[in-house]
Amino acid sequence: MEDWIKNLPSPAIEQILETAFQWFVVVDRNAKIIYLNEDYCNFLEVKREEAIGKHVADVIENTEMHLVLEKGTPDIAAPQYIKGTYMLANRVPIIIDGEIIGAFGSVTFRDLNDWKKLSSHVRKTLDQIETNMKQYRESFYSLSDIKGTSNAMRKIKETIRMIAPTKLPVLIEGETGTGKEMFAQSIHRLSDQVDYPFVKINCSTIPKEMLEGELFGKWDSSTQRLKSGGIQRAQGGTLFIEEISELPTTLQAKILKVMQDEKVQPAGTDEEIPVDIRLIVGSNISLAGLVKEKQFREDLFYLIQAITLQIPPLRDRIEDLPELIHTFMHQFSSEVSRQDMKLSRKTWMLLQQYNWPGNVRELQNVLQAMIHLSNGEQINEDALPIYIRRQKPEYTRLNGTLEEILFQVEEQILQEYLENEKDKMRIAEKLGISRSTLYEKIKKHNL
């Protein structure tokens, strides 16, 4: 065997390593990569020269090559979750003269369609794992679900990408309906805790006398058992306390203690349970203002406020409205199997002029109702709530530079005239411009 290998030229050995396995990696005794075949590099989107010398865990997600080195035993047909799907990997230590000098790993099934080649037991197990993981992951919002390209939204998304991998507490402030939970879930989904629970406790919907048990757990005398609270259920993952401004100051002190000591004491017990959680809190009012008014603990505020996301109300990022409308229209029309539904020009104008005090949540509810109230392919203004139809135009509320604002105002005025008057000559006369100028402006605004 050794003589046969010696007779193989280096290019032949390289060709075998490149083609004998779909994906193949070799590490030294310190779990640093010494070989990675080209197909695996392409899949991982890394350059071979950059991967060589790095710890395998820094290049291949969820790898256990380093554990195989520690145990010294092969790990055959082990499920490994890489880039959104489960695969089957073999990991084998390389032992020379009784000493582990490295290990090699290969992905044997990189496509779950290859399940047919597996035993029915393994196939059913992997199927259940994939189903459960898919349902768990899909239950969370991600950054791609948060629509908006305004400067404010871009900065928030950039901040989330930077701070998500850490375990630092995060404060999310924004009016009711701005989607604070979506931002909290997107942080969790980008974090290292994504495979652990995301637990939400809404302080505004739970009676004050029940909040302690819901958060910290309590001893249930009727069952003689300890009932876990949100903190224990979030072990290893993320706890999102929504509307923390509603939390009594006594419980604010307990939250502070949990974060500092990494232990929780359930109500009615002397027991302290170790916990490892990431804390994200949300508030629809300024906590800094509450601190000044002595209605929120200053020490807890300084613990959670280092990273603060200020979610702007919809009226302050009105340039994101078209994308939001298109997204919700597609979503809700798909639900009723009416893909071709469109908004009339007048309906668009009224939606753009409205102030949206209920923010994105109100927009969702209005569009969903409009789709259900409309019969044809076009949704006219009579499907709008009456308070939106009767609003007065607010041209001064538009955002942008003076040139951009004037452009938007001109478009709105033209839209209003075109909705109410079919004779272009009369419109030109009313606006004090020539008909040719009117047609130029209509073309400029794509009306």
Side-chain angles (χ1 to χ4, degrees):
M1 179 70 173
E2 291 181 356
D3 291 336
W4 176 77
I5 292 177
K6 288 178 181 177
N7 291 330
L8 279 176
S10 295
I13 295 175
E14 183 178 356
Q15 186 174 345
I16 291 171
L17 292 175
E18 286 294 321
T19 59
F21 301 91
Q22 291 179 329
W23 296 328
F24 186 72
V25 62
V26 182
V27 300
D28 64 18
R29 69 184 70 205
N30 297 314
K32 292 186 177 180
I33 295 174
I34 57 177
Y35 184 83
L36 190 67
N37 72 346
E38 191 65 29
D39 277 356
Y40 212 171
C41 289
N42 292 337
F43 172 73
L44 296 171
E45 297 179 304
V46 298
K47 294 181 179 179
R48 182 156 30 193
E49 59 269 24
E50 294 175 356
I52 300 298
K54 287 187 177 179
H55 193 282
V56 66
D58 294 332
V59 178
I60 304 174
E61 65 179 305
N62 299 317
T63 184
E64 293 187 7
M65 294 283 286
H66 53 296
L67 300 181
V68 169
L69 288 168
E70 293 173 7
K71 294 184 295 184
T73 56
D75 199 2
I76 304 299
Q80 183 173 348
Y81 188 72
I82 307 178
K83 294 185 74 171
T85 189
Y86 274 98
M87 303 171 184
L88 287 187
N90 294 331
R91 311 177 186 102
V92 180
I94 302 172
I95 303 175
I96 303 295
D97 297 330
E99 181 182 0
I100 299 174
I101 65 166
F104 71 86
S106 63
V107 174
T108 54
F109 294 100
R110 63 183 181 185
D111 188 334
L112 293 185
N113 290 327
D114 290 339
W115 285 0
K116 295 177 182 178
K117 301 175 183 177
L118 307 176
S119 70
S120 60
H121 173 72
V122 174
R123 187 165 65 248
K124 288 178 182 177
T125 301
L126 284 176
D127 191 16
Q128 188 61 50
I129 290 172
E130 176 64 16
T131 299
N132 291 344
M133 289 301 296
K134 184 178 180 181
Q135 290 175 347
Y136 181 70
R137 292 190 304 272
E138 288 181 350
S139 66
F140 297 125
Y141 290 106
S142 65
L143 274 186
S144 61
D145 296 315
I146 300 173
K147 304 303 178 183
T149 56
S150 59
N151 288 334
M153 295 302 291
R154 283 202 301 269
K155 289 179 181 177
I156 290 172
K157 291 179 182 180
E158 288 171 5
T159 301
I160 287 176
R161 291 188 186 96
M162 287 189 290
I163 57 96
T166 74
K167 292 188 69 176
L168 295 170
V170 180
L171 168 61
I172 304 175
E173 290 188 342
E175 294 180 4
T176 299
T178 50
K180 293 184 288 295
E181 185 176 354
M182 289 184 70
F183 291 91
Q185 288 189 5
S186 67
I187 294 171
H188 177 76
R189 191 160 185 174
L190 285 173
S191 73
D192 295 336
Q193 295 82 40
V194 64
D195 292 326
Y196 293 89
F198 175 91
V199 177
K200 180 184 77 169
I201 299 290
N202 191 326
C203 298
S204 66
T205 60
I206 301 173
K208 294 285 192 294
E209 62 273 13
M210 296 177 62
L211 268 173
E212 183 174 14
E214 289 296 320
L215 267 171
F216 305 95
K218 65 177 181 179
W219 178 258
D220 191 336
S221 56
S222 62
T223 61
Q224 292 295 298
R225 291 183 179 179
L226 188 64
K227 180 182 176 182
S228 295
I231 293 173
Q232 295 98 311
R233 296 197 304 275
Q235 175 64 20
T238 301
L239 176 66
F240 177 46
I241 303 180
E242 195 168 11
E243 308 310 348
I244 195 173
S245 58
E246 300 289 330
L247 192 66
T249 53
T250 53
L251 300 187
Q252 292 175 24
K254 289 195 70 171
I255 286 289
L256 179 65
K257 191 175 190 308
V258 168
M259 298 308 297
Q260 290 176 334
D261 299 345
E262 296 186 337
K263 294 178 182 178
V264 61
Q265 182 178 345
T269 73
D270 295 325
E271 182 181 5
E272 288 190 329
I273 303 170
V275 290
D276 177 21
I277 62 170
R278 187 201 195 138
L279 181 65
I280 302 178
V281 302
S283 177
N284 61 3
I285 55 178
S286 170
L287 293 187
L290 293 181
V291 169
K292 290 180 180 179
E293 297 170 3
K294 307 296 183 184
Q295 295 181 23
F296 195 86
R297 289 186 64 100
E298 188 175 13
D299 45 8
L300 178 59
F301 172 70
Y302 287 123
L303 175 71
I304 62 178
Q305 62 83 44
I307 299 175
T308 300
L309 302 180
Q310 295 285 354
I311 313 302
L314 183 53
R315 62 183 173 273
D316 288 345
R317 59 179 185 107
I318 208 69
E319 61 267 43
D320 291 332
L321 188 65
E323 183 183 2
L324 290 167
I325 290 176
H326 283 301
T327 299
F328 296 141
M329 285 288 293
H330 176 74
Q331 175 187 337
F332 298 138
S333 60
S334 297
E335 291 175 1
V336 295
S337 301
R338 297 164 67 187
Q339 298 283 1
D340 297 327
M341 299 191 75
K342 296 180 180 179
L343 300 174
S344 70
R345 187 184 298 155
K346 181 65 176 292
T347 305
W348 263 103
M349 183 181 70
L350 291 170
L351 290 173
Q352 289 177 314
Q353 291 175 351
Y354 184 56
N355 201 45
W356 299 110
N359 294 295
V360 177
R361 185 183 302 155
E362 182 184 12
L363 175 64
Q364 284 180 296
N365 294 336
V366 167
L367 292 175
Q368 189 171 29
M370 289 169 61
I371 286 173
H372 285 279
L373 290 172
S374 301
N375 294 320
E377 292 183 358
Q378 180 169 282
I379 301 177
N380 297 315
E381 64 269 21
D382 53 4
L384 284 165
I386 192 168
Y387 60 87
I388 295 181
R389 278 182 282 161
R390 290 183 175 178
Q391 66 176 314
K392 294 181 179 179
E394 296 185 32
Y395 301 119
T396 58
R397 190 175 50 81
L398 299 171
N399 297 319
T401 64
L402 177 60
E403 183 179 359
E404 291 169 342
I405 292 172
L406 291 174
F407 182 86
Q408 293 174 65
V409 170
E410 184 178 69
E411 181 180 18
Q412 290 184 6
I413 293 172
L414 288 172
Q415 283 178 331
E416 188 172 355
Y417 272 96
L418 290 169
E419 284 289 335
N420 298 305
E421 177 61 67
K422 302 301 180 185
D423 189 333
K424 303 293 194 302
M425 180 61 76
R426 289 179 62 101
I427 295 175
E429 290 175 355
K430 290 179 180 180
L431 293 175
I433 58 178
S434 67
R435 189 166 63 172
S436 61
T437 301
L438 175 64
Y439 278 112
E440 288 176 4
K441 292 183 180 297
I442 291 174
K443 184 178 179 180
K444 180 177 70 173
H445 292 284
N446 197 25
L447 300 175

Short mmCIF file of all heavy atoms in Angstrom, two decimals, residues 341-388:
data_model
loop_
_atom_site.label_atom_id
_atom_site.label_comp_id
_atom_site.label_asym_id
_atom_site.label_seq_id
_atom_site.Cartn_x
_atom_site.Cartn_y
_atom_site.Cartn_z
N MET A 341 -54.49 42.88 -8.09
CA MET A 341 -55.15 44.04 -7.50
C MET A 341 -54.19 45.24 -7.46
O MET A 341 -53.02 45.11 -7.09
CB MET A 341 -55.65 43.72 -6.10
CG MET A 341 -56.68 42.59 -6.07
SD MET A 341 -57.49 42.44 -4.47
CE MET A 341 -58.59 43.85 -4.52
N LYS A 342 -54.70 46.40 -7.85
CA LYS A 342 -53.89 47.62 -7.87
C LYS A 342 -54.67 48.76 -7.25
O LYS A 342 -55.90 48.76 -7.23
CB LYS A 342 -53.50 47.97 -9.30
CG LYS A 342 -52.60 46.93 -9.97
CD LYS A 342 -52.25 47.36 -11.39
CE LYS A 342 -51.36 46.31 -12.05
NZ LYS A 342 -51.02 46.68 -13.45
N LEU A 343 -53.92 49.75 -6.78
CA LEU A 343 -54.54 50.95 -6.19
C LEU A 343 -54.72 52.00 -7.27
O LEU A 343 -53.86 52.20 -8.11
CB LEU A 343 -53.65 51.51 -5.08
CG LEU A 343 -53.36 50.59 -3.88
CD1 LEU A 343 -52.36 51.26 -2.95
CD2 LEU A 343 -54.63 50.24 -3.13
N SER A 344 -55.86 52.68 -7.22
CA SER A 344 -56.08 53.78 -8.16
C SER A 344 -55.16 54.93 -7.80
O SER A 344 -54.59 55.00 -6.69
CB SER A 344 -57.54 54.25 -8.09
OG SER A 344 -57.79 54.90 -6.86
N ARG A 345 -54.99 55.86 -8.74
CA ARG A 345 -54.11 57.01 -8.52
C ARG A 345 -54.57 57.84 -7.33
O ARG A 345 -53.78 58.27 -6.50
CB ARG A 345 -54.07 57.85 -9.79
CG ARG A 345 -53.06 58.99 -9.74
CD ARG A 345 -53.16 59.84 -10.99
NE ARG A 345 -52.85 59.05 -12.18
CZ ARG A 345 -53.30 59.35 -13.39
NH1 ARG A 345 -54.10 60.38 -13.56
NH2 ARG A 345 -52.94 58.62 -14.42
N LYS A 346 -55.86 58.04 -7.22
CA LYS A 346 -56.39 58.85 -6.11
C LYS A 346 -56.17 58.15 -4.77
O LYS A 346 -55.84 58.78 -3.76
CB LYS A 346 -57.89 59.08 -6.33
CG LYS A 346 -58.57 59.94 -5.26
CD LYS A 346 -58.04 61.36 -5.25
CE LYS A 346 -58.78 62.25 -4.25
NZ LYS A 346 -60.18 62.50 -4.65
N THR A 347 -56.31 56.82 -4.76
CA THR A 347 -56.09 56.06 -3.53
C THR A 347 -54.64 56.18 -3.09
O THR A 347 -54.35 56.40 -1.91
CB THR A 347 -56.44 54.58 -3.75
OG1 THR A 347 -57.79 54.48 -4.23
CG2 THR A 347 -56.34 53.80 -2.45
N TRP A 348 -53.73 56.07 -4.06
CA TRP A 348 -52.31 56.25 -3.75
C TRP A 348 -52.06 57.62 -3.12
O TRP A 348 -51.35 57.75 -2.13
CB TRP A 348 -51.48 56.12 -5.03
CG TRP A 348 -50.89 54.77 -5.27
CD1 TRP A 348 -51.32 53.82 -6.11
CD2 TRP A 348 -49.73 54.22 -4.62
NE1 TRP A 348 -50.52 52.71 -6.06
CE2 TRP A 348 -49.52 52.93 -5.14
CE3 TRP A 348 -48.84 54.70 -3.65
CZ2 TRP A 348 -48.48 52.12 -4.73
CZ3 TRP A 348 -47.79 53.89 -3.25
CH2 TRP A 348 -47.62 52.61 -3.79
N MET A 349 -52.64 58.65 -3.72
CA MET A 349 -52.43 60.01 -3.25
C MET A 349 -52.92 60.17 -1.81
O MET A 349 -52.23 60.76 -0.96
CB MET A 349 -53.16 60.99 -4.16
CG MET A 349 -52.93 62.46 -3.79
SD MET A 349 -53.84 63.56 -4.89
CE MET A 349 -55.53 63.20 -4.36
N LEU A 350 -54.09 59.62 -1.52
CA LEU A 350 -54.64 59.74 -0.17
C LEU A 350 -53.80 58.98 0.85
O LEU A 350 -53.61 59.45 1.98
CB LEU A 350 -56.09 59.23 -0.16
CG LEU A 350 -57.10 60.10 -0.91
CD1 LEU A 350 -58.44 59.39 -1.05
CD2 LEU A 350 -57.29 61.44 -0.19
N LEU A 351 -53.30 57.83 0.47
CA LEU A 351 -52.45 57.06 1.37
C LEU A 351 -51.15 57.80 1.67
O LEU A 351 -50.64 57.79 2.80
CB LEU A 351 -52.13 55.68 0.77
CG LEU A 351 -53.28 54.68 0.70
CD1 LEU A 351 -52.85 53.43 -0.06
CD2 LEU A 351 -53.77 54.29 2.09
N GLN A 352 -50.60 58.47 0.65
CA GLN A 352 -49.35 59.21 0.83
C GLN A 352 -49.54 60.47 1.67
O GLN A 352 -48.61 60.90 2.36
CB GLN A 352 -48.77 59.58 -0.54
CG GLN A 352 -48.20 58.38 -1.29
CD GLN A 352 -47.69 58.76 -2.67
OE1 GLN A 352 -48.34 59.47 -3.42
NE2 GLN A 352 -46.50 58.27 -3.01
N GLN A 353 -50.72 61.04 1.62
CA GLN A 353 -50.98 62.28 2.36
C GLN A 353 -51.33 62.02 3.82
O GLN A 353 -51.22 62.91 4.66
CB GLN A 353 -52.12 63.06 1.69
CG GLN A 353 -51.75 63.63 0.34
CD GLN A 353 -52.95 64.29 -0.34
OE1 GLN A 353 -54.08 64.16 0.12
NE2 GLN A 353 -52.70 64.95 -1.45
N TYR A 354 -51.74 60.80 4.14
CA TYR A 354 -52.21 60.49 5.49
C TYR A 354 -51.03 60.48 6.47
O TYR A 354 -49.91 60.15 6.12
CB TYR A 354 -52.92 59.15 5.49
CG TYR A 354 -53.53 58.76 6.81
CD1 TYR A 354 -54.44 59.59 7.47
CD2 TYR A 354 -53.19 57.56 7.42
CE1 TYR A 354 -54.99 59.23 8.68
CE2 TYR A 354 -53.74 57.18 8.63
CZ TYR A 354 -54.63 58.02 9.26
OH TYR A 354 -55.18 57.66 10.46
N ASN A 355 -51.30 60.83 7.72
CA ASN A 355 -50.26 60.99 8.73
C ASN A 355 -49.82 59.69 9.40
O ASN A 355 -48.78 59.63 10.03
CB ASN A 355 -50.73 61.97 9.81
CG ASN A 355 -49.58 62.59 10.57
OD1 ASN A 355 -48.60 63.02 9.97
ND2 ASN A 355 -49.68 62.62 11.88
N TRP A 356 -50.62 58.64 9.34
CA TRP A 356 -50.33 57.32 9.90
C TRP A 356 -49.92 57.35 11.37
O TRP A 356 -48.82 56.94 11.73
CB TRP A 356 -49.25 56.61 9.06
CG TRP A 356 -49.68 56.40 7.66
CD1 TRP A 356 -49.22 57.01 6.54
CD2 TRP A 356 -50.73 55.52 7.21
NE1 TRP A 356 -49.90 56.58 5.42
CE2 TRP A 356 -50.83 55.65 5.80
CE3 TRP A 356 -51.58 54.62 7.86
CZ2 TRP A 356 -51.77 54.95 5.05
CZ3 TRP A 356 -52.50 53.91 7.12
CH2 TRP A 356 -52.59 54.07 5.73
N PRO A 357 -50.82 57.80 12.24
CA PRO A 357 -50.49 57.81 13.68
C PRO A 357 -50.30 56.41 14.25
O PRO A 357 -49.61 56.24 15.25
CB PRO A 357 -51.71 58.50 14.31
CG PRO A 357 -52.82 58.31 13.31
CD PRO A 357 -52.16 58.34 11.98
N GLY A 358 -50.93 55.40 13.60
CA GLY A 358 -50.76 54.02 14.06
C GLY A 358 -49.60 53.31 13.40
O GLY A 358 -49.40 52.11 13.62
N ASN A 359 -48.85 54.05 12.56
CA ASN A 359 -47.62 53.56 11.94
C ASN A 359 -47.85 52.34 11.04
O ASN A 359 -48.91 52.20 10.46
CB ASN A 359 -46.58 53.30 13.03
CG ASN A 359 -46.15 54.59 13.70
OD1 ASN A 359 -45.56 55.45 13.06
ND2 ASN A 359 -46.49 54.75 14.97
N VAL A 360 -46.84 51.48 10.94
CA VAL A 360 -46.88 50.38 9.98
C VAL A 360 -48.03 49.43 10.28
O VAL A 360 -48.65 48.89 9.37
CB VAL A 360 -45.53 49.62 9.97
CG1 VAL A 360 -45.59 48.43 9.01
CG2 VAL A 360 -44.40 50.55 9.57
N ARG A 361 -48.32 49.22 11.55
CA ARG A 361 -49.43 48.32 11.91
C ARG A 361 -50.75 48.84 11.37
O ARG A 361 -51.57 48.08 10.85
CB ARG A 361 -49.51 48.17 13.43
CG ARG A 361 -50.56 47.16 13.89
CD ARG A 361 -50.64 47.11 15.40
NE ARG A 361 -49.34 46.76 15.96
CZ ARG A 361 -48.94 47.10 17.19
NH1 ARG A 361 -49.72 47.84 17.96
NH2 ARG A 361 -47.76 46.73 17.64
N GLU A 362 -50.96 50.16 11.45
CA GLU A 362 -52.19 50.74 10.91
C GLU A 362 -52.24 50.58 9.39
O GLU A 362 -53.29 50.24 8.83
CB GLU A 362 -52.29 52.23 11.28
CG GLU A 362 -53.58 52.88 10.79
CD GLU A 362 -53.64 54.37 11.08
OE1 GLU A 362 -52.59 54.96 11.47
OE2 GLU A 362 -54.72 54.96 10.91
N LEU A 363 -51.10 50.79 8.73
CA LEU A 363 -51.03 50.62 7.28
C LEU A 363 -51.40 49.19 6.90
O LEU A 363 -52.17 48.97 5.94
CB LEU A 363 -49.63 50.95 6.78
CG LEU A 363 -49.37 50.72 5.28
CD1 LEU A 363 -50.24 51.63 4.43
CD2 LEU A 363 -47.89 50.92 4.96
N GLN A 364 -50.88 48.21 7.61
CA GLN A 364 -51.21 46.81 7.34
C GLN A 364 -52.71 46.57 7.44
O GLN A 364 -53.33 45.96 6.57
CB GLN A 364 -50.49 45.89 8.33
CG GLN A 364 -49.01 45.70 8.06
CD GLN A 364 -48.38 44.80 9.08
OE1 GLN A 364 -48.33 45.12 10.27
NE2 GLN A 364 -47.90 43.65 8.64
N ASN A 365 -53.29 47.05 8.52
CA ASN A 365 -54.72 46.82 8.76
C ASN A 365 -55.59 47.49 7.70
O ASN A 365 -56.58 46.91 7.23
CB ASN A 365 -55.12 47.32 10.16
CG ASN A 365 -54.45 46.52 11.27
OD1 ASN A 365 -54.08 45.37 11.07
ND2 ASN A 365 -54.30 47.13 12.43
N VAL A 366 -55.21 48.71 7.30
CA VAL A 366 -55.98 49.44 6.29
C VAL A 366 -55.92 48.72 4.95
O VAL A 366 -56.95 48.50 4.29
CB VAL A 366 -55.46 50.89 6.15
CG1 VAL A 366 -56.02 51.55 4.90
CG2 VAL A 366 -55.84 51.71 7.39
N LEU A 367 -54.74 48.31 4.53
CA LEU A 367 -54.60 47.64 3.23
C LEU A 367 -55.31 46.29 3.21
O LEU A 367 -55.93 45.91 2.21
CB LEU A 367 -53.12 47.46 2.90
CG LEU A 367 -52.33 48.74 2.61
CD1 LEU A 367 -50.86 48.44 2.42
CD2 LEU A 367 -52.88 49.46 1.38
N GLN A 368 -55.22 45.57 4.30
CA GLN A 368 -55.88 44.26 4.35
C GLN A 368 -57.40 44.43 4.24
O GLN A 368 -58.07 43.68 3.52
CB GLN A 368 -55.52 43.55 5.65
CG GLN A 368 -55.99 42.09 5.71
CD GLN A 368 -55.43 41.37 6.91
OE1 GLN A 368 -55.16 41.97 7.96
NE2 GLN A 368 -55.24 40.07 6.78
N ALA A 369 -57.93 45.43 4.95
CA ALA A 369 -59.36 45.68 4.87
C ALA A 369 -59.78 46.12 3.47
O ALA A 369 -60.82 45.68 2.95
CB ALA A 369 -59.76 46.73 5.91
N MET A 370 -58.98 46.96 2.84
CA MET A 370 -59.30 47.45 1.50
C MET A 370 -59.39 46.30 0.49
O MET A 370 -60.27 46.28 -0.37
CB MET A 370 -58.25 48.46 1.05
CG MET A 370 -58.31 49.79 1.77
SD MET A 370 -56.87 50.83 1.43
CE MET A 370 -57.02 51.04 -0.33
N ILE A 371 -58.47 45.36 0.60
CA ILE A 371 -58.48 44.23 -0.34
C ILE A 371 -59.74 43.40 -0.17
O ILE A 371 -60.36 42.95 -1.15
CB ILE A 371 -57.21 43.37 -0.13
CG1 ILE A 371 -56.00 44.10 -0.71
CG2 ILE A 371 -57.35 41.98 -0.76
CD1 ILE A 371 -54.68 43.45 -0.44
N HIS A 372 -60.16 43.21 1.05
CA HIS A 372 -61.37 42.42 1.30
C HIS A 372 -62.64 43.19 0.93
O HIS A 372 -63.68 42.57 0.67
CB HIS A 372 -61.42 41.99 2.76
CG HIS A 372 -60.47 40.88 3.10
ND1 HIS A 372 -60.73 39.56 2.84
CD2 HIS A 372 -59.23 40.91 3.66
CE1 HIS A 372 -59.72 38.81 3.22
NE2 HIS A 372 -58.79 39.61 3.73
N LEU A 373 -62.56 44.52 0.91
CA LEU A 373 -63.74 45.32 0.61
C LEU A 373 -63.88 45.62 -0.89
O LEU A 373 -64.87 46.21 -1.31
CB LEU A 373 -63.68 46.65 1.38
CG LEU A 373 -63.88 46.55 2.90
CD1 LEU A 373 -63.60 47.89 3.56
CD2 LEU A 373 -65.30 46.08 3.22
N SER A 374 -62.88 45.25 -1.68
CA SER A 374 -62.89 45.56 -3.10
C SER A 374 -63.22 44.31 -3.92
O SER A 374 -62.73 43.21 -3.61
CB SER A 374 -61.54 46.14 -3.53
OG SER A 374 -61.26 47.31 -2.80
N ASN A 375 -64.00 44.52 -4.99
CA ASN A 375 -64.40 43.39 -5.83
C ASN A 375 -63.57 43.29 -7.11
O ASN A 375 -63.21 42.20 -7.54
CB ASN A 375 -65.88 43.50 -6.20
CG ASN A 375 -66.78 43.36 -4.98
OD1 ASN A 375 -66.51 42.54 -4.11
ND2 ASN A 375 -67.83 44.18 -4.90
N GLY A 376 -63.27 44.43 -7.73
CA GLY A 376 -62.54 44.42 -8.99
C GLY A 376 -61.04 44.35 -8.79
O GLY A 376 -60.54 44.19 -7.67
N GLU A 377 -60.33 44.50 -9.90
CA GLU A 377 -58.87 44.47 -9.85
C GLU A 377 -58.30 45.78 -9.31
O GLU A 377 -57.21 45.81 -8.76
CB GLU A 377 -58.30 44.20 -11.25
CG GLU A 377 -58.60 42.81 -11.77
CD GLU A 377 -57.95 42.57 -13.12
OE1 GLU A 377 -57.32 43.51 -13.65
OE2 GLU A 377 -58.07 41.45 -13.64
N GLN A 378 -59.03 46.89 -9.47
CA GLN A 378 -58.56 48.19 -8.99
C GLN A 378 -59.25 48.55 -7.69
O GLN A 378 -60.46 48.43 -7.56
CB GLN A 378 -58.81 49.28 -10.04
CG GLN A 378 -58.34 50.67 -9.59
CD GLN A 378 -58.34 51.67 -10.71
OE1 GLN A 378 -57.44 51.69 -11.54
NE2 GLN A 378 -59.34 52.52 -10.74
N ILE A 379 -58.45 49.00 -6.74
CA ILE A 379 -58.98 49.44 -5.45
C ILE A 379 -59.13 50.95 -5.48
O ILE A 379 -58.14 51.69 -5.59
CB ILE A 379 -58.04 49.01 -4.29
CG1 ILE A 379 -57.88 47.50 -4.28
CG2 ILE A 379 -58.60 49.50 -2.95
CD1 ILE A 379 -56.92 47.00 -3.22
N ASN A 380 -60.35 51.42 -5.39
CA ASN A 380 -60.63 52.86 -5.44
C ASN A 380 -60.70 53.44 -4.04
O ASN A 380 -60.76 52.71 -3.04
CB ASN A 380 -61.93 53.11 -6.19
CG ASN A 380 -61.82 52.67 -7.64
OD1 ASN A 380 -60.83 52.96 -8.32
ND2 ASN A 380 -62.83 51.94 -8.13
N GLU A 381 -60.75 54.78 -3.99
CA GLU A 381 -60.70 55.46 -2.69
C GLU A 381 -61.89 55.16 -1.81
O GLU A 381 -61.82 55.33 -0.59
CB GLU A 381 -60.55 56.97 -2.88
CG GLU A 381 -61.73 57.64 -3.59
CD GLU A 381 -61.55 57.69 -5.09
OE1 GLU A 381 -60.76 56.90 -5.63
OE2 GLU A 381 -62.21 58.54 -5.70
N ASP A 382 -63.02 54.69 -2.39
CA ASP A 382 -64.19 54.41 -1.54
C ASP A 382 -63.95 53.20 -0.63
O ASP A 382 -64.73 52.96 0.29
CB ASP A 382 -65.46 54.20 -2.38
CG ASP A 382 -65.27 53.15 -3.46
OD1 ASP A 382 -64.19 52.54 -3.52
OD2 ASP A 382 -66.21 52.95 -4.26
N ALA A 383 -62.87 52.44 -0.88
CA ALA A 383 -62.53 51.33 0.01
C ALA A 383 -61.71 51.79 1.21
O ALA A 383 -61.51 51.04 2.16
CB ALA A 383 -61.75 50.26 -0.76
N LEU A 384 -61.24 53.04 1.17
CA LEU A 384 -60.46 53.59 2.28
C LEU A 384 -61.36 53.92 3.46
O LEU A 384 -62.54 54.26 3.28
CB LEU A 384 -59.74 54.86 1.83
CG LEU A 384 -58.51 54.72 0.95
CD1 LEU A 384 -58.16 56.06 0.33
CD2 LEU A 384 -57.33 54.18 1.75
N PRO A 385 -60.83 53.87 4.67
CA PRO A 385 -61.60 54.36 5.82
C PRO A 385 -61.98 55.81 5.62
O PRO A 385 -61.22 56.59 5.02
CB PRO A 385 -60.62 54.20 6.99
CG PRO A 385 -59.65 53.15 6.54
CD PRO A 385 -59.52 53.33 5.06
N ILE A 386 -63.13 56.19 6.11
CA ILE A 386 -63.66 57.53 5.85
C ILE A 386 -62.75 58.63 6.39
O ILE A 386 -62.63 59.71 5.79
CB ILE A 386 -65.09 57.67 6.43
CG1 ILE A 386 -65.74 58.94 5.89
CG2 ILE A 386 -65.09 57.59 7.94
CD1 ILE A 386 -67.22 59.02 6.16
N TYR A 387 -62.03 58.36 7.50
CA TYR A 387 -61.16 59.39 8.06
C TYR A 387 -59.94 59.66 7.17
O TYR A 387 -59.36 60.74 7.24
CB TYR A 387 -60.72 59.02 9.48
CG TYR A 387 -59.95 57.72 9.60
CD1 TYR A 387 -58.58 57.67 9.43
CD2 TYR A 387 -60.62 56.53 9.89
CE1 TYR A 387 -57.87 56.48 9.54
CE2 TYR A 387 -59.93 55.33 10.01
CZ TYR A 387 -58.55 55.31 9.82
OH TYR A 387 -57.88 54.12 9.93
N ILE A 388 -59.56 58.70 6.36
CA ILE A 388 -58.46 58.92 5.41
C ILE A 388 -58.99 59.65 4.18
O ILE A 388 -58.33 60.54 3.64
CB ILE A 388 -57.79 57.59 5.02
CG1 ILE A 388 -57.11 56.96 6.24
CG2 ILE A 388 -56.77 57.80 3.90
CD1 ILE A 388 -56.40 55.66 5.95
#
